Amino acid sequence: MVRPNLPLNALRAFEASARHLSFTRAGLELHVTQAAVSHQVKGLEEILGLRLFRRLPRGLALTDEGAALLPVLEEAFRRIGATLDRFEGGRVREVLTVGAVATFAVGWLLPRLRDFQEEHPFVDLRILTNNNRVDLAGEGLDCAIRFGDGAWHGTEAVRLLDAPLSPLCAPPLAERLRQPADLASVPLLRSYRADEWARWFAQAGAACPALRGVVFDSSVAMAEAAAQGAGAALLPVALFARDLRTGRLVRPFTTEIAAGAYWLTWLKSRRETMAMAAFRTWLAAQRGQEEA
């Protein structure tokens, strides 16, 4: 229903008075006099044909009608305020909620976030990390960065980064490793993808030992365990470049295996927003710079 004469000033005066149960305090909040607030509320009551307050000797009390109106106005003004807060620099700010595999988030995305924020200040980015198990619709995600083959039912997928795996370990442990077969003498940390070590040993031309190391659902946690000397871990080397530069982790062998890639994904049924398009384009540009 169109209401061209909606009494917004009167509704605001009522909402403030109802929160404070005082015309005086409402006037202080709205920077008008107590008399002006009282006049606005009285006018609203005349429009509605009912009383919103009971005037008491020491203040105000809401009538049943006033109590019913107050939460509706509080929510309406809150939503209006939140929407106006999103306008900045001549355009509206947009929330973008991205789910990301923790390994990719820590090893690739976080070091580049400042660049994205400087290029796209209108995007209010929210990052939720996961261990590659994600429900786009159920978790309210606009898009998600996943590891795998790019084939997820009902989703669009754009390849971001190949991530071959190679053993990484702490420097003291690496000193004991001269050839791939030497790995049989150290704990081999494992992911939930059970065939990775067998594939790596086959690629390296060595027999795969019995695997009894700790199993992790996060490469970030597995890398930290390796850095602390718990064993050797098969990890996507490109995402642990900082640990390699600082010497926390060492790559004893160059042999690597392809296990998948990182992909930007979103539901096919999801309409692409400006923020989603900006994030997708920025990721593509970053990937292009690295490949150049």
Side-chain angles (χ1 to χ4, degrees):
M1 180 184 298
V2 177
R3 296 182 180 275
N5 297 316
L6 194 66
L8 291 176
N9 287 337
L11 291 169
R12 188 71 184 91
F14 163 75
E15 187 270 340
S17 300
R19 277 190 290 104
H20 293 293
L21 291 178
S22 165
F23 291 146
T24 299
R25 280 181 286 174
L28 291 173
E29 176 182 317
L30 300 176
H31 305 289
V32 297
T33 65
Q34 179 269 353
V37 174
S38 178
H39 178 75
Q40 290 281 4
V41 171
K42 183 176 180 181
L44 179 61
E45 290 176 323
E46 291 175 354
I47 292 171
L48 299 176
L50 50 83
R51 295 179 62 194
L52 299 172
F53 290 110
R54 294 193 302 275
R55 277 71 169 173
L56 305 175
R58 293 185 177 274
L60 301 170
L62 286 166
T63 63
D64 290 344
E65 293 80 6
L69 180 59
L70 177 59
V72 176
L73 291 179
E74 286 180 324
E75 173 63 12
F77 286 128
R78 183 196 66 77
R79 292 180 63 183
I80 291 171
T83 299
L84 292 177
D85 287 343
R86 292 170 55 201
F87 285 86
E88 183 177 301
R91 65 188 308 176
V92 64
R93 290 184 62 83
E94 228 182 277
V95 173
L96 178 67
T97 305
V98 177
V101 181
T103 309
F104 187 89
V106 174
W108 192 94
L109 184 58
L110 296 186
R112 295 166 172 80
L113 270 186
R114 181 176 178 180
D115 177 76
F116 176 77
Q117 291 173 319
E118 288 178 350
E119 287 188 26
H120 305 285
F122 77 96
V123 177
D124 187 0
L125 184 62
R126 316 285 173 85
I127 297 176
L128 307 180
T129 58
N130 58 62
N131 60 359
N132 213 41
R133 295 175 175 86
V134 64
D135 178 356
L136 281 160
E139 298 175 38
L141 300 174
D142 295 303
C143 51
I145 296 171
R146 294 164 155 171
F147 181 81
D149 60 6
W152 290 278
H153 179 69
T155 68
E156 301 284 358
V158 174
R159 194 184 197 99
L160 297 177
L161 179 70
D162 291 325
L165 307 180
S166 191
L168 301 181
C169 62
L173 192 151
E175 293 175 359
R176 297 160 47 187
L177 305 175
R178 295 290 181 268
Q179 56 188 353
D182 293 340
L183 282 166
S185 66
V186 304
L188 300 180
L189 309 180
R190 297 176 288 161
S191 79
Y192 55 85
R193 294 179 291 273
D195 67 335
E196 291 175 344
W197 273 115
R199 290 178 55 216
W200 187 86
F201 276 102
Q203 183 72 18
C208 182
L211 299 175
R212 300 187 180 87
V214 180
V215 177
F216 294 83
D217 72 347
S218 164
S219 292
V220 171
M222 187 162 60
E224 184 60 31
Q228 294 190 28
L234 270 180
L235 294 165
V237 177
L239 298 180
F240 291 94
R242 180 173 55 184
D243 293 289
L244 291 167
R245 285 196 303 270
T246 61
R248 292 189 77 234
L249 289 173
V250 174
R251 184 181 183 180
F253 308 109
T254 58
T255 302
E256 60 186 25
I257 58 170
Y262 290 95
W263 302 76
L264 176 66
T265 68
W266 63 95
L267 291 173
K268 290 182 178 179
S269 59
R270 178 75 164 89
R271 181 184 63 82
E272 188 175 55
T273 65
M274 287 192 300
M276 289 172 65
F279 189 61
R280 175 177 54 78
T281 302
W282 176 78
L283 286 171
Q286 295 291 316
R287 182 185 61 189
Q289 291 174 12
E290 293 180 357
E291 293 176 351

